[in-house]
Amino acid sequence: GQAAAACQELDTMLASTRKYGYRLSEFNARLALAEMELMSNSATARTHLMSLESEARSQGALLVADQAKALSH
């Protein structure tokens, strides 16, 4: 359905952001994917959010880090 298509699009975006080094865009794509994982009750969503929070914070992307932290609780 639409969720699967959205995940596929985000995965494609994530690959591009990593390829070209767009860290903030990568963090935002990862945040969106983790939100979708939460909605589908994925067991790995919280782990992905904690990892994202740590990486984003270390790179100075504090807004994304705070959003990931809020979603993981």
Side-chain angles (χ1 to χ4, degrees):
Q2 289 182 338
C7 281
Q8 174 117 18
E9 222 170 291
L10 284 168
D11 282 334
T12 300
M13 179 182 157
L14 191 55
S16 293
T17 61
R18 286 181 173 153
K19 180 179 178 181
Y20 296 109
Y22 299 131
R23 296 295 287 178
L24 186 56
S25 294
E26 175 190 341
F27 293 149
N28 281 312
R30 288 173 58 193
L31 185 64
L33 281 168
E35 285 183 87
M36 293 183 76
E37 289 176 341
L38 279 175
M39 286 187 251
S40 66
N41 294 318
S42 171
T44 59
R46 297 210 190 303
T47 303
H48 289 161
L49 284 165
M50 290 188 305
S51 173
L52 173 58
E53 179 196 355
S54 175
E55 288 179 51
R57 196 166 302 283
S58 74
Q59 295 291 315
L62 301 181
L63 180 60
V64 174
D66 289 346
Q67 290 172 327
K69 182 178 181 177
L71 286 171
S72 68
H73 295 298

